Amino acid sequence: MISLHGVTKIYTVGTQRVAALNGVDLEIADGEFLSIMGPSGSGKSTLMNIIGCLDRQTEGKYILDGLDVSRLGDNQLAIIRNRRLGFVFQSFNLLPRMSAIDQVALPLLYRGASNRKKVAAAALELVGLSDRAHHKPTQLSGGEQQRVAIARALVARPSIILADEPTGALDTKTSMDVMEVFRQLNEEMQMTIAFVTHEHDVAAYTRRIVSLRDGKVVGDRPNVPVYAGRPAAPVEEKEAAP
Amino acid sequence: MTLIDVLGTALAALASNVVRTLLTMLGIIIGIAAVITLTAASEGAQRGVGEQIRGLGSNLMFIRPGLEEADGIQLPGSGVNLFLEDSRAIEAADFEYIEAIAAQGTIGGPGDFIFAQAIYQGQNRSTMLLGTEPTYQFVRDFYVESGRFLTEVDLTKKALVVVLGGEVADELFDTEDPVGKTIRIAVGAGPISIGFNFTVIGVMERRGASANTDQDDVIIVPMPSLQARIALVRDPRGRTNIDQINIKLSDRGKADQAKEEIGQLLMALHAVDEPDFRIQTQSDILATATEVERSLQVLVVSIALISLFVGGIGIMNIMLVSVTERTREIGIRKAIGAKRMDILWQFLVESIVVTTAGGALGVLVGIAVTQIAERFAIGGDNAYAVTPLWVMVGFAVAAVTGLVAGVYPAWRASRLDPIEALRHE
């Protein structure tokens, strides 16, 4: 459960103060699948960074699972990122020279968990990459890399997975595969997933679309998701793994 | 994150760039190898000197002429003021702590411009003639191996008999038994020399060579024979010059008393107020030698530490580059929950692992170098002694170098802003 009240982020460039976010109010309930849309410079990446606890708002309140994040120190934010948040980036951001399973196990390492390999292997299975566990990023295709990144984001069972243009570096077919993974995670495991995107095709997969412009929320509407170009399948129907 | 996890992360990072890791280590490897090799050489030298001095015989005291080691060449008799009569007088004084006493005079030793050459059937060898008394082997704890040593009869008869040092016997006689054979000894300076025939009566046990003297390279003759046949210069008052009086003490604890009382006696005999001779105990010699070795060691260790310091700077430099190069990685790690301390430790441990591994390799390289040097006998036998102390010091210094060199880069890495770091290309 995420709630933002009047979140404002002001950057000072030289003597100029630029508001990247200007009083954003947003609630994300558990189990939601939403996209945050907006043109370049609308502040969606800044919003993403704040929700992701990578950055702090200048003003306003951010409550994550009942916790006032703005009061937390660096170390506590690191713990929040580790336990409650999962990131998927446009450029995958995998560590070079590290096998898929080790990448996925990394958040567990920082959490100090035992049983890491087993949990990581299960996460890789969820994204359909069990057979690629010991491949390194350079040996994986773009879609596979992104799925490793998704596995890494979900391995710690976070409250929310934040995806910043996750299909931005992928072709249409691969994008659809990746979106399919997200859809399954949301539908079958009730994971909360928020996308930042400017692609309507991507947003079309989600159940709610929030529009951002000039640092403000200008639209917030439910969406009937369309999967792989056809209307949403009933929940009970299992999709074949991509 | 446990220490093992941190170590695993560091090792994985190091293993992912083996060439760079090895190059980083190189400075430390060389530094530690230098520490090990140089201290081993210095330690070996120290041990050698110690053994040599202890090998002189226990509870030994020497009296030498005061000017014996004046610089430059010394003419026979010039400034030499130690006499056979002194030795006799000390003996006559009958000090209770003197167990035995043996005077000695040498010709043809190192640095002597008079040469002594032993000849047997076309084989010849330049060596040192040492005139002494039957007590010599007991005082110096240096015994005859085959045949017999000098006797009082040889002295009174001024017999033309010799006892050969092992080295001389080997060279002149090879496998033949020297005892009973006749050798010719030529003594001279420049083109002038005189020769006498001597009968070999014995061969000394082998003591082995050390850095500057070879106790086996000697021919021992009765002191009176040396004086009578091969003119040892007598001083105008008819006294016989000798090089050294060897005294064996019954009790090491009496060394200071012996020095004092014998000194008084000799000063009275020589009618001087200041000693014109030197009395040294074994421990004096050991102390002087140790002092020299210590200062050598300080020098050696400081050179080695400087090379380690340079290696440490190299490591810091590479760690800084590595932090910059891996900025994005740091951002990713922070995004998925690494705390500052996690990042700090990761880089610090990497640095320490590099230097400690470098230290271990350096120790191995150092030991290998000393082994190779030993094999090719660079610096003589047993010239190197790798000591556990210096191995540990080298290791510890390497680890500390890693810590010191790694702290700043690791701190920089830990302070990186995750958003900035993620944007870094």
Side-chain angles (χ1 to χ4, degrees):
Chain A
M1 172 78 183
I2 283 171
S3 80
L4 301 164
H5 298 290
V7 166
T8 299
K9 177 74 185 179
I10 294 167
Y11 290 106
T12 311
V13 183
T15 52
Q16 271 206 302
R17 288 158 59 83
V18 182
L21 291 180
N22 202 348
V24 171
D25 295 320
L26 185 66
E27 301 255 340
I28 303 171
D30 289 343
E32 270 203 81
F33 191 21
L34 81 157
S35 49
I36 298 165
M37 292 197 70
S40 301
S42 60
K44 55 187 194 305
S45 283
T46 305
L47 181 61
M48 174 87 172
N49 287 338
I50 287 173
I51 296 174
C53 292
L54 287 169
D55 207 350
R56 290 162 192 272
Q57 67 274 29
T58 319
E59 277 168 46
K61 229 176 187 173
Y62 170 22
I63 312 284
L64 172 63
D65 293 340
L67 209 66
D68 188 351
V69 172
S70 40
R71 292 170 179 273
L72 300 178
D74 275 352
N75 270 347
Q76 279 141 329
L77 286 183
I79 293 170
I80 297 272
R81 286 198 294 269
N82 184 237
R83 306 201 164 207
R84 310 217 172 182
L85 300 163
F87 291 94
V88 177
F89 300 94
Q90 178 178 0
S91 49
F92 320 141
N93 275 345
L94 298 177
L95 295 182
R97 291 186 284 265
M98 198 186 254
S99 70
I101 190 149
D102 287 339
Q103 309 262 4
V104 174
L106 212 51
L108 302 171
L109 178 82
Y110 286 118
R111 175 190 274 212
S114 53
N115 243 345
R116 297 199 288 264
K117 291 267 173 189
K118 223 173 124 194
V119 178
L124 273 178
E125 174 132 38
L126 273 179
V127 298
L129 273 184
S130 293
D131 55 333
R132 291 278 194 269
H134 297 285
H135 288 56
K136 292 182 177 166
T138 44
Q139 299 165 315
L140 297 170
S141 71
E144 286 170 331
Q145 289 190 53
Q146 194 59 300
R147 279 191 278 160
V148 171
I150 295 168
R152 184 178 66 187
L154 65 85
V155 73
R157 303 283 153 181
S159 308
I160 185 167
I161 291 179
L162 297 166
D164 190 356
E165 311 235 7
T167 58
L170 303 174
D171 60 45
T172 314
K173 169 75 176 68
T174 320
S175 296
M176 282 180 181
D177 292 346
V178 167
M179 293 310 295
E180 200 53 40
V181 172
F182 280 116
R183 187 194 63 78
Q184 278 190 313
L185 292 174
N186 174 253
E187 285 187 357
E188 291 165 25
M189 309 191 64
Q190 283 73 51
M191 275 195 187
T192 315
I193 298 169
F195 285 133
V196 167
T197 184
H198 58 247
E199 290 173 77
H200 288 283
D201 291 354
V202 170
Y205 272 77
T206 62
R207 296 173 183 280
R208 177 183 168 194
I209 299 174
V210 175
S211 301
L212 220 58
R213 187 178 288 269
D214 296 332
K216 283 182 182 148
V217 176
V218 293
D220 190 346
R221 61 183 171 84
N223 181 46
V224 177
V226 175
Y227 297 139
R230 50 199 167 79
V235 173
E236 50 283 0
E237 186 190 320
K238 299 275 185 225
E239 289 280 330
Chain B
M1 224 185 161
T2 65
L3 185 62
I4 291 173
D5 296 335
V6 179
L7 210 59
T9 306
L11 286 176
L14 293 174
S16 70
N17 202 337
V18 176
V19 174
R20 183 167 71 188
T21 304
L22 283 177
L23 283 175
T24 315
M25 276 182 196
L26 203 57
I28 293 293
I29 294 176
I30 292 170
I32 296 292
V35 171
I36 297 296
T37 312
L38 292 176
T39 56
S42 135
E43 202 70 46
Q46 201 163 332
R47 250 181 225 188
V49 169
E51 265 162 29
Q52 195 184 330
I53 291 165
R54 274 185 291 278
L56 294 173
S58 55
N59 298 352
L60 199 57
M61 200 164 94
F62 304 110
I63 306 173
R64 291 188 179 132
L67 296 176
E68 190 194 26
E69 284 176 12
D71 50 8
I73 297 169
Q74 220 182 329
L75 293 170
S78 72
V80 175
N81 33 26
L82 193 66
F83 310 99
L84 190 56
E85 288 71 16
D86 294 336
S87 176
R88 299 277 178 265
I90 295 167
E91 229 175 326
D94 205 16
F95 295 112
E96 32 95 23
Y97 41 75
I98 293 182
E99 205 173 337
I101 182 163
Q104 72 177 56
T106 56
I107 288 178
D112 195 342
F113 82 106
I114 297 179
F115 68 85
Q117 196 168 36
I119 304 146
Y120 176 74
Q121 289 184 352
Q123 295 293 322
N124 66 73
R125 181 181 176 91
S126 282
T127 182
M128 181 171 81
L129 276 185
L130 186 143
T132 187
E133 303 167 299
T135 45
Y136 181 82
Q137 53 172 356
F138 172 62
V139 173
R140 295 294 298 260
D141 208 14
F142 182 31
Y143 294 94
V144 81
E145 189 179 70
S146 66
R148 63 171 180 85
F149 197 67
L150 309 176
T151 61
E152 287 299 332
V153 179
D154 294 330
L155 261 64
T156 47
K157 284 167 70 179
K158 300 182 181 172
L160 289 175
V161 293
V162 292
V163 180
L164 300 182
E167 183 93 23
V168 179
D170 286 348
E171 178 129 355
L172 292 185
F173 291 92
D174 197 15
T175 55
E176 216 178 319
D177 181 13
V179 178
K181 304 283 181 339
T182 302
I183 61 168
R184 188 165 182 80
I185 295 175
V187 174
I192 310 149
S193 76
I194 46 171
F196 296 91
N197 289 334
F198 286 80
T199 305
V200 179
I201 55 167
V203 178
M204 298 303 285
E205 63 186 352
R206 281 161 181 78
R207 276 285 182 80
S210 57
N212 47 11
T213 58
D214 185 349
Q215 296 195 67
D216 298 333
D217 188 8
V218 69
I219 292 179
I220 299 173
V221 293
M223 175 83 94
S225 314
L226 195 65
Q227 294 159 354
R229 316 286 172 175
I230 311 159
L232 257 194
V233 181
R234 284 170 185 262
D235 88 334
R237 289 159 65 186
R239 296 180 298 190
T240 308
N241 291 314
I242 55 172
D243 295 331
Q244 185 168 308
I245 301 172
N246 305 299
I247 296 172
K248 187 168 195 162
L249 298 173
S250 56
D251 180 0
R252 194 185 295 238
K254 293 275 174 64
D256 288 338
Q257 188 191 346
K259 247 166 129 171
E260 175 65 25
E261 291 180 359
I262 294 171
Q264 294 293 342
L265 176 69
L266 288 183
M267 272 155 62
L269 279 175
H270 294 184
V272 289
D273 297 331
E274 290 294 317
D276 55 354
F277 51 84
R278 290 183 304 147
I279 304 183
Q280 279 184 306
T281 61
Q282 213 180 326
S283 50
D284 290 339
I285 299 173
L286 200 57
T288 316
T290 310
E291 208 171 298
V292 172
E293 289 296 332
R294 281 267 172 267
S295 42
L296 183 70
Q297 200 163 43
V298 168
L299 184 75
V300 154
V301 170
S302 26
I303 291 170
L305 288 180
I306 288 168
S307 73
L308 264 182
F309 181 68
V310 174
I313 291 174
I315 286 178
M316 190 189 282
N317 192 11
I318 289 170
M319 290 307 292
L320 279 173
V321 171
S322 169
V323 167
T324 309
E325 210 181 76
R326 285 151 70 189
T327 301
R328 196 181 177 86
E329 174 190 330
I330 294 163
I332 296 168
R333 286 178 183 274
K334 286 199 159 190
I336 63 174
K339 301 188 196 79
R340 270 185 193 173
M341 287 307 274
D342 292 330
I343 301 293
L344 185 91
W345 276 112
Q346 183 192 336
F347 280 87
L348 199 53
V349 167
E350 244 177 64
S351 166
I352 295 172
V353 164
V354 165
T355 57
T356 318
L361 282 175
V363 167
L364 292 181
V365 169
I367 291 173
V369 168
T370 58
Q371 291 293 321
I372 291 165
E374 195 83 63
R375 172 128 336 146
F376 291 99
I378 299 165
D381 290 340
N382 299 318
Y384 303 91
V386 177
T387 53
L389 171 75
W390 282 107
V391 168
M392 284 189 296
V393 168
F395 218 66
V397 168
V400 170
T401 306
L403 184 71
V404 172
V407 162
Y408 176 62
W411 179 80
R412 285 246 308 230
S414 75
R415 302 290 296 185
L416 285 175
D417 176 53
I419 298 173
E420 293 290 320
L422 279 171
R423 271 188 210 135
H424 191 269
E425 272 310 321

